[in-house]
Amino acid sequence: MSSQSSFLRSCLFRSPTQKCRRADIPDFSPDFSHFFTSLPRLHYALSPIFSSRFPQTIEIPHETPAHFPVHCADRASISVSACRIAVGSTRRPKLQAVQEATASFAGRLSPQMPLEIQGHEVESGVSHTPSSREELMQGARQRAEALHKLLADSGDRADYCVGLEGGLDVAIENGTRRVFLESWAYVTDGVRGHFGCSGSIELPEALAEEVLSRGTELSVAIDRYAGAVGIRDGQGAWGVLSDNLVSRQESFRLAVVAAFAPFYNVKMYRPAAQAAGKWAT
């Protein structure tokens, strides 16, 4: 490398506290041609230093998903069979709720295998807007069990089947009807199953009357009430009522975390007989 190139390189890569004094700068004017002919070689010498160390960003298109890779310990696990979680819905808020929930406990549920989430459309077997806790639980359970049967009949498999159901729970408090919006989840591994529930948020009386007395589906009623369209696939009634502090997706995420607890926190959910025997000693 020429002395000019070496000097230019040293100036380019001085630390912020170093300065090039004017007296240090040699006069290149007598030999400009030599300086410019050295530029290609100088660029070649410097190019590795400017190489990017950051990976390229890949944009994923926003399409209704039926498959979510959730957890992968390392590249080697790609070749390992996955722990498959089937969800009885293809709606984005529900699938993303399961994705977020399972990602939080993936290391405890399936430490050796990645989790794989797939959505399937199945019927709940209950009304479009369940109006009691019992009906909500029934809808979540029947979605999961119908999905388990669907997969078994087709020769497919899933390690866990998840059913999600949202709707209303009606209670009488101090002589007054109170109507609450709730989200429920039911998870089964084909042998045993467990429920989980979100919190509850009270409906305005006008909205409750529209759904319970006039039979309007909640997704339609909440669009009219809020003066919007497609709320169910976005913030949901939860978002409207909580002023977007809690979304429909977040309510289902909490229900899924709760329903999966007996599977990822096994030590606290041992069979009753085993636990009783241990505690008796």
Side-chain angles (χ1 to χ4, degrees):
M1 185 181 291
S2 67
S3 60
Q4 295 96 328
S5 299
S6 299
F7 173 77
L8 180 59
R9 184 183 178 90
S10 65
C11 283
L12 284 172
F13 298 103
R14 287 175 184 268
S15 66
T17 57
Q18 292 177 307
K19 297 180 179 179
C20 289
R21 297 178 302 166
R22 186 177 183 83
D24 293 334
I25 302 176
D27 184 8
F28 292 138
S29 57
D31 191 18
F32 275 114
S33 61
H34 176 75
F35 174 73
F36 285 114
T37 57
S38 68
L39 283 180
R41 288 181 289 128
L42 177 62
H43 175 266
Y44 177 81
L46 296 181
S47 59
I49 299 173
F50 293 112
S51 295
S52 172
R53 294 177 296 172
F54 301 99
Q56 295 182 358
T57 301
I58 301 174
E59 183 177 355
I60 300 174
H62 293 285
E63 298 176 351
T64 301
H67 172 84
F68 282 105
V70 174
H71 172 71
C72 184
D74 52 40
R75 289 183 180 273
S77 66
I78 294 176
S79 61
V80 179
S81 60
C83 173
R84 297 180 61 189
I85 299 175
V87 183
S89 178
T90 56
R91 291 196 173 275
R92 175 170 287 273
K94 289 185 175 182
L95 288 174
Q96 288 184 329
V98 176
Q99 179 191 26
E100 287 188 13
T102 54
S104 67
F105 53 74
R108 284 172 280 178
L109 181 69
S110 179
Q112 304 302 324
M113 293 189 296
L115 300 186
E116 190 176 275
I117 296 174
Q118 296 180 336
H120 304 264
E121 199 60 53
V122 295
E123 295 296 325
S124 67
V126 297
S127 60
H128 55 68
T129 304
S131 56
S132 69
R133 172 166 291 197
E134 292 75 17
E135 192 178 10
L136 282 163
M137 295 174 73
Q138 180 185 358
R141 178 196 282 270
Q142 289 180 171
R143 283 185 190 273
E145 292 179 345
L147 178 54
H148 185 269
K149 185 177 186 303
L150 174 69
L151 295 177
D153 290 346
S154 64
D156 204 349
R157 70 161 189 90
D159 296 281
Y160 301 96
C161 290
V162 181
L164 301 173
E165 195 68 43
L168 309 179
D169 183 25
V170 181
I172 303 299
E173 186 272 331
N174 198 26
T176 301
R177 182 181 71 174
R178 304 281 187 178
V179 181
F180 298 92
L181 176 63
E182 295 180 352
S183 299
W184 279 82
Y186 181 79
V187 178
T188 179
D189 61 358
V191 177
R192 60 194 176 104
H194 299 278
F195 286 98
C197 179
S198 68
S200 301
I201 188 166
E202 190 170 359
L203 265 66
E205 181 57 33
L207 182 57
E209 185 71 15
E210 181 71 23
V211 176
L212 295 176
S213 299
R214 298 184 179 86
T216 305
E217 186 175 351
L218 179 60
S219 61
V220 176
I222 196 66
D223 280 359
R224 294 175 183 170
Y225 189 80
V229 177
I231 288 176
R232 176 171 64 174
D233 290 323
Q235 66 192 117
W238 271 95
V240 171
L241 298 177
S242 68
D243 197 17
N244 291 319
L245 293 179
V246 180
S247 67
R248 183 182 189 221
Q249 179 177 319
E250 173 61 17
S251 72
F252 277 121
R253 186 198 69 82
L254 180 58
V256 172
V257 169
F260 263 104
F263 296 106
Y264 66 75
N265 193 15
V266 178
K267 64 182 181 181
M268 299 305 296
Y269 288 87
R270 291 186 180 94
Q274 179 183 346
K278 179 179 178 180
W279 294 333
T281 58

